[in-house]
């Protein structure tokens, strides 16, 4: 049974030009309708899957853009179903300008244990280019407030921009004592304002920033445990590891994705529709996942992690021995020192990490 849940809150104070997530500006009538439908969806989903939750993740959008009253209403829907908060980790994504010291205390009292802060940079020129509302000083002040409030805190950083001093950003975040930093190369997604403006990145700068993030953050005790995620030991995101290792998770809200058990199959991937159809009660996309699909999904996400793919666990769940199915490909990757095999664990080498997408494509094309 799924023991993790992702809740999507689509409302943002500003629409960033690089973002392709399901999001929109808020208005009171729309938020009210959203919460009402969310309560209805939670009750129905709970009737299907009622196991206690280990992790709950509020993503977006900007969940902290909701008012305290609205957040409390949503929490009440959890309290009436799975319970609140989650047993291990309850995360709220937050924008630096949506809270102060007093509101952070309110978040703590509400039951949130972890904050994921969308800082993106500490440099004003970079933040302006990215369309962010806050400046570098406000980013670091928000981070310090969150740490002082006693939260488990993760901060997001975007890299790869030509005007960016990436080392300065990394030092600025790590020097706060932060225990988790997510570093993402800016991706130009189709149909976003950046794509329409034909914004392009320097591939050499992207690679250099990727390598720099690992070496520099390691000096602060933050190890890369997933392609984009760096943490001190014991501070890794519990919720995100559910995705990476192929475990089940529930989804609530417009545009939210989930992976749940399905009779006759290894699971069913569910993706809720955009908010208009979601408010009308439409179910969205349902895709049955067979054993071969599941193996490819786990390879795609598990190879992103330092832990790699547990091939025995994968075989027990899928019935597929990947060393047999992909013998020729794995032999070739080993020959070129792109992967490592230790006991039953398959993972990328440091060289292979730089070619992650290409290696994953090889498995899909095999």
């Amino acid at each position: 049974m799924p023991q993790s849940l992702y809740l999507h809150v689509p409302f943002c104070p500003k629409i960033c030009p690089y973002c392709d997530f399901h999001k929109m500006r808020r208005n009171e009538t729309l938020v009210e309708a959203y919460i009402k439908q969310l309560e209805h969806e939670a009750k129905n989903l709970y009737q299907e899957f009622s196991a206690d939750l280990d992790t709950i993740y509020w993503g977006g959008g900007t969940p902290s853009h909701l008012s305290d009253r609205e957040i409390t209403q949503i929490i009440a829907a959890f309290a009436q179903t799975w319970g609140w908060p989650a047993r291990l980790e309850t995360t709220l994504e937050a924008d630096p300008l949506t809270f102060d010291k007093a509101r952070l205390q309110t978040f703590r009292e509400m039951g949130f244990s972890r904050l994921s802060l969308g800082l993106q940079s500490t440099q004003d020129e970079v933040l302006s280019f990215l369309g962010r509302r806050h400046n570098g000083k406000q980013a670091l002040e928000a981070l310090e407030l969150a740490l002082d409030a006693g939260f488990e805190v993760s901060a997001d950083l975007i890299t790869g921009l030509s005007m960016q001093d990436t080392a300065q950003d990394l030092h600025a975040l790590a020097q706060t004592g932060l225990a988790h930093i997510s570093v993402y190369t800016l991706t130009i997604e189709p149909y976003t304002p950046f794509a329409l403006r034909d914004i392009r990145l320097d591939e050499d700068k992207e690679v250099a920033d990727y390598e720099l993030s690992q070496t520099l953050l390691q000096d602060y005790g933050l190890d890369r445990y997933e392609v984009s995620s760096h943490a001190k030991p014991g501070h890794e995101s519990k919720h995100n590891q559910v995705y990476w290792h192929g475990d089940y998770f529930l989804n609530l809200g417009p545009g939210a994705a989930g992976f749940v058990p399905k009779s006759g199959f290894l699971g069913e991937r569910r993706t809720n529709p955009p908010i208009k159809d979601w408010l009308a009660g439409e179910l969205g996309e349902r895709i049955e996942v067979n054993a071969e699909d599941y193996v490819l999904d786990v390879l795609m996400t598990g190879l992103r992690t330092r832990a790699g793919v547990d091939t025995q666990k994968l075989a027990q769940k899928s019935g597929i021995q990947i060393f047999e199915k992909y013998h020729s490909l794995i032999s070739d990757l080993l020959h070129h020192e792109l992967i490592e095999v230790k006991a039953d664990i398959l993972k990328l080498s440091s060289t292979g990490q730089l070619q992650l997408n290409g290696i994953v494509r090889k498995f899909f094309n095999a």
Side-chain angles (χ1 to χ4, degrees):
M1 291 287 280
Q3 294 180 298
S4 293
L5 183 146
Y6 173 78
L7 166 69
H8 191 72
V9 181
F11 308 111
C12 282
K14 182 181 180 182
I15 307 302
C16 297
Y18 56 86
C19 180
D20 72 334
F21 294 129
H22 184 47
K23 77 284 183 185
M24 64 209 65
R25 300 291 292 272
R26 62 168 291 154
N27 67 65
E28 306 313 306
T29 301
L30 184 59
V31 175
E32 183 179 349
Y34 164 83
I35 293 175
K36 183 177 180 180
Q37 177 61 19
L38 200 64
E39 293 169 341
H40 176 71
E41 184 184 27
K43 290 177 182 176
N44 288 341
L45 190 59
Y46 179 70
Q47 290 179 356
E48 282 190 273
F49 306 105
S50 58
D52 292 341
L53 297 177
D54 288 336
T55 69
I56 299 172
Y57 192 104
W58 291 34
T62 309
S64 63
H65 189 40
L66 295 172
S67 70
D68 292 349
R69 177 185 60 82
E70 292 159 353
I71 292 174
T72 300
Q73 285 180 270
I74 297 172
I75 288 174
F78 278 96
Q80 294 167 13
T81 50
W82 298 277
W84 178 268
R87 293 185 294 192
L88 301 180
E89 182 183 85
T90 306
T91 302
L92 178 74
E93 286 188 353
D95 179 276
L97 298 186
T98 58
F99 60 81
D100 55 16
K101 183 177 181 180
R103 193 164 198 229
L104 287 170
Q105 181 59 37
T106 299
F107 289 160
R108 292 273 294 175
E109 293 169 356
M110 286 174 170
F112 293 102
S113 60
R114 184 174 182 272
L115 291 183
S116 179
L117 302 184
L119 303 187
Q120 316 312 353
S121 179
T122 64
Q123 299 165 49
D124 291 352
E125 183 182 4
V126 176
L127 290 166
S128 177
F129 175 77
L130 293 173
R132 303 297 293 175
R133 300 185 307 147
H134 61 276
N135 59 35
K137 182 173 181 289
Q138 290 168 324
L140 289 173
E141 287 175 347
L143 176 53
E144 294 282 5
L145 284 176
L147 291 170
D148 289 345
F151 283 97
E152 189 76 29
V153 181
S154 175
D156 290 350
L157 176 67
I158 289 178
T159 64
L161 285 73
S162 60
M163 79 288 286
Q164 181 180 27
D165 183 338
T166 304
Q168 178 183 322
D169 268 339
L170 292 166
H171 279 300
L173 294 183
Q175 285 170 359
T176 66
L178 190 62
H180 193 290
I181 300 176
S182 296
V183 183
Y184 303 101
T185 300
L186 178 65
T187 303
I188 309 302
E189 301 289 356
Y191 310 112
T192 61
F194 271 3
L196 297 176
R197 288 162 51 188
D198 199 27
I199 298 293
R200 302 195 181 187
L201 300 181
D202 182 332
E203 291 185 5
D204 291 339
K205 178 71 160 60
E206 292 180 59
V207 173
D209 283 358
Y210 177 84
E211 294 176 335
L212 176 65
S213 65
Q214 175 163 330
T215 57
L216 192 153
L217 292 178
Q218 277 183 335
D219 291 341
Y220 288 93
L222 292 112
D223 294 325
R224 174 177 278 142
Y225 72 102
E226 185 267 344
V227 166
S228 301
S229 305
H230 307 253
K232 295 179 180 179
H235 295 272
E236 298 86 355
S237 166
K238 295 178 176 64
H239 182 84
N240 287 344
Q241 291 184 75
V242 170
Y243 305 149
W244 301 329
H245 297 301
D247 295 327
Y248 296 121
F249 61 99
L250 304 176
N251 56 313
L252 282 178
F259 178 50
V260 300
K262 173 74 172 179
S263 178
F265 288 82
L266 277 178
E268 180 180 72
R269 298 220 173 264
R270 296 181 173 185
T271 304
N272 287 346
I275 194 164
K276 181 179 178 180
D277 293 337
W278 178 80
L279 287 174
E282 295 191 17
L283 293 179
E285 189 175 61
R286 302 287 188 267
I287 299 176
E288 293 172 335
V289 178
N290 61 30
E292 292 193 357
D293 294 335
Y294 179 76
V295 165
L296 288 171
D297 285 346
V298 172
L299 285 169
M300 179 173 62
T301 55
L303 287 177
R304 294 177 59 90
T305 69
R306 181 179 60 195
V309 175
D310 185 330
T311 63
Q312 280 303 102
K313 178 182 176 182
L314 185 55
Q316 289 169 4
K317 191 161 186 177
S318 68
I320 295 175
Q321 296 284 351
I322 66 171
F323 290 121
E324 296 177 6
K325 183 174 178 61
Y326 301 105
H327 175 75
S328 177
L329 173 57
I330 290 174
S331 296
D332 183 64
L333 294 172
L334 281 169
H335 175 72
H336 289 91
E337 299 182 343
L338 296 174
I339 61 171
E340 300 173 356
V341 177
K342 295 182 180 179
D344 296 320
I345 303 301
L346 173 70
K347 58 183 179 180
L348 296 181
S349 66
S350 56
T351 303
Q353 290 173 7
L354 296 172
Q355 301 180 40
L356 168 65
N357 292 337
I359 292 172
V360 168
R361 280 196 295 270
K362 290 179 184 292
F363 280 101
F364 274 82
N365 294 331

